[in-house]
CSV table of all heavy atoms in Angstrom, one decimal:
chain,number,residue,atom,x,y,z
A,101,ARG,N,56.0,98.9,65.5
A,101,ARG,CA,54.8,98.1,65.6
A,101,ARG,C,53.8,98.3,64.5
A,101,ARG,O,52.7,97.7,64.4
A,101,ARG,CB,54.0,98.5,66.9
A,101,ARG,CG,54.5,97.8,68.2
A,101,ARG,CD,54.3,96.4,68.1
A,101,ARG,NE,54.7,95.7,69.4
A,101,ARG,CZ,55.0,94.5,69.5
A,101,ARG,NH1,55.0,93.7,68.4
A,101,ARG,NH2,55.3,93.9,70.7
A,102,ASP,N,54.2,99.2,63.5
A,102,ASP,CA,53.3,99.5,62.4
A,102,ASP,C,53.0,98.2,61.6
A,102,ASP,O,53.9,97.4,61.4
A,102,ASP,CB,54.0,100.5,61.5
A,102,ASP,CG,53.0,101.1,60.5
A,102,ASP,OD1,52.6,100.3,59.5
A,102,ASP,OD2,52.7,102.2,60.6
A,103,PRO,N,51.7,98.0,61.2
A,103,PRO,CA,51.3,96.7,60.5
A,103,PRO,C,52.1,96.6,59.2
A,103,PRO,O,52.3,95.4,58.7
A,103,PRO,CB,49.9,97.0,60.2
A,103,PRO,CG,49.4,97.9,61.3
A,103,PRO,CD,50.5,98.8,61.6
A,104,ALA,N,52.6,97.7,58.6
A,104,ALA,CA,53.4,97.6,57.4
A,104,ALA,C,54.9,97.2,57.6
A,104,ALA,O,55.6,96.9,56.6
A,104,ALA,CB,53.3,98.9,56.6
A,105,ALA,N,55.3,97.3,58.8
A,105,ALA,CA,56.7,97.0,59.1
A,105,ALA,C,57.1,95.6,58.9
A,105,ALA,O,56.4,94.7,59.2
A,105,ALA,CB,57.0,97.4,60.6
A,106,ARG,N,58.2,95.4,58.2
A,106,ARG,CA,58.8,94.1,58.0
A,106,ARG,C,60.2,94.0,58.5
A,106,ARG,O,61.0,95.0,58.4
A,106,ARG,CB,58.8,93.8,56.4
A,106,ARG,CG,57.3,93.7,55.9
A,106,ARG,CD,56.6,92.5,56.4
A,106,ARG,NE,55.2,92.4,55.9
A,106,ARG,CZ,54.1,93.0,56.5
A,106,ARG,NH1,54.3,93.7,57.6
A,106,ARG,NH2,52.9,92.8,56.0
A,107,PHE,N,60.6,92.8,59.0
A,107,PHE,CA,61.9,92.7,59.7
A,107,PHE,C,62.6,91.4,59.3
A,107,PHE,O,62.0,90.4,59.1
A,107,PHE,CB,61.8,92.7,61.2
A,107,PHE,CG,61.2,93.9,61.8
A,107,PHE,CD1,59.8,94.0,62.0
A,107,PHE,CD2,61.9,95.0,62.2
A,107,PHE,CE1,59.2,95.1,62.5
A,107,PHE,CE2,61.3,96.1,62.7
A,107,PHE,CZ,60.0,96.2,62.9
A,108,LEU,N,63.9,91.5,59.1
A,108,LEU,CA,64.8,90.4,59.1
A,108,LEU,C,65.7,90.6,60.4
A,108,LEU,O,66.3,91.6,60.6
A,108,LEU,CB,65.7,90.3,57.9
A,108,LEU,CG,65.0,89.9,56.6
A,108,LEU,CD1,66.0,89.9,55.5
A,108,LEU,CD2,64.3,88.6,56.7
A,109,ILE,N,65.7,89.6,61.2
A,109,ILE,CA,66.4,89.7,62.5
A,109,ILE,C,67.5,88.6,62.5
A,109,ILE,O,67.2,87.4,62.3
A,109,ILE,CB,65.4,89.4,63.7
A,109,ILE,CG1,64.3,90.5,63.7
A,109,ILE,CG2,66.1,89.5,65.0
A,109,ILE,CD1,63.1,90.2,64.5
A,110,ALA,N,68.7,89.0,62.8
A,110,ALA,CA,69.8,88.1,62.9
A,110,ALA,C,70.1,87.7,64.3
A,110,ALA,O,70.2,88.6,65.2
A,110,ALA,CB,71.1,88.8,62.3
A,111,THR,N,70.1,86.4,64.6
A,111,THR,CA,70.4,85.9,65.9
A,111,THR,C,71.7,85.1,65.9
A,111,THR,O,72.0,84.5,64.9
A,111,THR,CB,69.3,85.1,66.5
A,111,THR,OG1,69.0,84.0,65.7
A,111,THR,CG2,68.0,85.9,66.6
A,112,GLN,N,72.3,85.0,67.0
A,112,GLN,CA,73.6,84.2,67.2
A,112,GLN,C,73.3,82.7,67.1
A,112,GLN,O,72.4,82.2,67.6
A,112,GLN,CB,74.2,84.5,68.6
A,112,GLN,CG,75.4,83.8,68.9
A,112,GLN,CD,75.9,84.0,70.3
A,112,GLN,OE1,75.1,84.6,71.1
A,112,GLN,NE2,77.0,83.5,70.7
A,113,GLN,N,74.2,82.1,66.3
A,113,GLN,CA,74.1,80.6,66.2
A,113,GLN,C,75.0,80.0,67.4
A,113,GLN,O,75.8,80.7,67.9
A,113,GLN,CB,74.7,80.2,64.9
A,113,GLN,CG,73.9,80.5,63.7
A,113,GLN,CD,72.7,79.5,63.5
A,113,GLN,OE1,71.9,79.3,64.4
A,113,GLN,NE2,72.7,79.0,62.3
A,114,PRO,N,74.7,78.8,67.7
A,114,PRO,CA,75.4,78.1,68.8
A,114,PRO,C,76.9,78.1,68.8
A,114,PRO,O,77.6,78.2,69.8
A,114,PRO,CB,74.8,76.7,68.8
A,114,PRO,CG,73.5,76.8,68.1
A,114,PRO,CD,73.7,77.9,67.1
A,115,LYS,N,77.5,78.1,67.6
A,115,LYS,CA,78.9,78.0,67.4
A,115,LYS,C,79.6,79.4,67.3
A,115,LYS,O,80.7,79.5,66.8
A,115,LYS,CB,79.3,77.2,66.2
A,115,LYS,CG,78.9,75.7,66.3
A,115,LYS,CD,79.3,74.9,65.1
A,115,LYS,CE,78.9,73.5,65.3
A,115,LYS,NZ,79.3,72.7,64.1
A,116,GLN,N,78.9,80.4,67.8
A,116,GLN,CA,79.5,81.8,67.8
A,116,GLN,C,80.8,81.8,68.5
A,116,GLN,O,81.0,81.2,69.5
A,116,GLN,CB,78.5,82.8,68.5
A,116,GLN,CG,79.0,84.2,68.5
A,116,GLN,CD,79.0,84.7,67.0
A,116,GLN,OE1,78.0,84.6,66.3
A,116,GLN,NE2,80.1,85.4,66.6
A,117,LEU,N,81.8,82.6,67.9
A,117,LEU,CA,83.1,82.7,68.6
A,117,LEU,C,82.9,83.2,70.0
A,117,LEU,O,82.2,84.2,70.2
A,117,LEU,CB,84.0,83.7,67.8
A,117,LEU,CG,84.5,83.2,66.4
A,117,LEU,CD1,85.4,84.2,65.8
A,117,LEU,CD2,85.2,81.9,66.5
A,118,SER,N,83.6,82.6,70.9
A,118,SER,CA,83.5,83.0,72.3
A,118,SER,C,84.1,84.4,72.6
A,118,SER,O,83.7,85.1,73.5
A,118,SER,CB,84.3,82.0,73.2
A,118,SER,OG,85.6,81.9,72.9
A,119,SER,N,85.0,84.8,71.7
A,119,SER,CA,85.5,86.2,71.9
A,119,SER,C,84.6,87.3,71.6
A,119,SER,O,84.8,88.5,71.9
A,119,SER,CB,86.8,86.3,71.0
A,119,SER,OG,86.4,86.2,69.6
Side-chain angles (χ1 to χ4, degrees):
R101 279 294 187 203
D102 193 289
R106 296 292 178 270
F107 300 90
L108 289 180
I109 300 165
T111 61
Q112 178 188 9
Q113 290 279 58
K115 294 181 181 180
Q116 182 66 49
L117 291 181
S118 59
S119 61

